């Protein structure tokens, strides 16, 4: 009985090992789906407005907005459209920046997916995915909204992530995924050189 279980485990492990290249392609497809979906959402008002706290508080990106220090007074809830807030976001470059960012994110996803056919494009896509993830993870340091605010309870500040922070910390997975597909593409390129 034990021998049969060990044999079954070895067979399953061998099947997984034999599927490694297929699973790495699945990882590329997964990265593409996330990038295309998130990038595509940047064309919508609620998503464009949801990234304002990240950009406005980032020392590397805040210059992309006209009035980064004023965003707290012009927040809309998801699905809400207050005309005064909408006008402020238009003047702040919120929507223009989001459209550009969405295009960049979708392009990175396409490059990563292209690694199925072109190791060179896949390498670029994987490295860009990892770099984008590092930028996103930096928001855990720069964005106050990433942590539960002090509203009188004992659980606030670091390490208590808010919904915003929980969304950002998931980019650790995208960072690793980008590096895995970049590594696979690099291996394919090197094998063709020798």
């Amino acid at each position: 009985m034990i021998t049969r279980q060990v044999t079954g485990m070895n067979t399953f492990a061998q099947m997984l090992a034999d599927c490694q290249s297929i699973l790495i392609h699945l990882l590329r497809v997964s990265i593409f789906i996330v990038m295309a979906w998130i990038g595509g959402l940047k064309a919508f008002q609620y998503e464009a407005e949801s990234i304002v706290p990240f950009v406005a508080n980032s020392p590397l990106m805040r210059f992309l907005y006209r009035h980064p220090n004023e965003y707290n007074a012009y927040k809309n809830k998801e699905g809400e459209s207050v005309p005064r807030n909408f006008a402020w976001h238009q003047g702040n470059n919120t929507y223009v920046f989001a459209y550009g960012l969405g295009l960049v994110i979708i392009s990175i996803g396409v490059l990563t997916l292209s690694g199925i056919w072109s190791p060179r494009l896949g390498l670029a896509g994987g490295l860009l995915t990892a770099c984008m993830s590092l930028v996103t993870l930096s928001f855990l340091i720069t964005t106050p909204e990433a942590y539960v605010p002090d509203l009188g309870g004992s659980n606030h500040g670091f390490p208590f992530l808010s919904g915003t922070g929980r969304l950002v910390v998931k980019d650790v997975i995208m960072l690793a995924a980008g590096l895995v597909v970049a590594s696979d593409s690099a291996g394919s390129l090197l094998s063709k050189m020798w």
Side-chain angles (χ1 to χ4, degrees):
M1 176 88 161
I2 293 174
T3 306
R4 198 177 325 163
Q5 287 176 338
V6 169
T7 303
M9 291 286 273
N10 286 343
T11 302
F12 180 70
Q14 187 61 54
M15 281 178 21
L16 277 176
D18 292 343
C19 291
Q20 185 174 8
S21 66
I22 293 168
L23 295 175
I24 289 176
H25 288 331
L26 179 61
L27 191 56
R28 287 182 172 98
V29 171
S30 300
I31 291 170
F32 169 76
I33 290 170
V34 170
M35 298 291 212
W37 199 332
I38 296 300
L41 286 176
K42 297 291 184 268
F44 295 92
Q45 175 188 344
Y46 86 97
E47 176 66 16
E49 293 171 6
S50 74
I51 63 172
V52 170
F54 300 121
V55 178
N57 287 292
S58 170
L60 301 175
M61 300 174 77
R62 63 183 291 117
F63 74 92
L64 296 164
Y65 287 157
R66 290 194 178 132
H67 313 287
N69 295 331
E70 300 172 13
Y71 74 92
N72 273 316
Y74 300 96
K75 288 183 177 180
N76 285 319
K77 295 176 184 170
E78 285 187 343
E80 181 180 56
S81 184
V82 176
R84 171 184 166 268
N85 295 351
F86 181 75
W88 181 87
H89 283 288
Q90 282 183 311
N92 185 50
N93 282 343
T94 298
Y95 306 119
V96 171
F97 172 73
Y99 300 151
L101 179 61
L103 185 60
V104 168
I105 292 171
I106 291 169
S107 298
I108 292 171
V110 169
L111 281 172
T112 303
L113 181 65
S114 298
I116 293 172
W117 305 281
S118 169
R120 187 163 282 134
L121 293 176
L123 176 61
L127 291 175
L128 287 169
T129 297
C131 289
M132 188 186 88
S133 298
L134 285 173
V135 170
T136 302
L137 288 168
S138 77
F139 297 148
L140 289 174
I141 298 167
T142 62
T143 309
E145 287 90 344
Y147 297 94
V148 175
D150 185 359
L151 299 175
S154 62
N155 298 330
H156 60 86
F158 182 84
F160 301 103
L161 294 171
S162 66
T164 300
R166 292 190 300 271
L167 177 71
V168 169
V169 79
K170 292 177 186 175
D171 260 59
V172 170
I173 297 168
M174 288 294 278
L175 172 64
L179 292 174
V180 167
V181 298
S183 172
D184 180 68
S185 293
S188 293
L189 285 170
L190 287 171
S191 70
K192 289 179 182 178
M193 293 174 78
W194 306 109

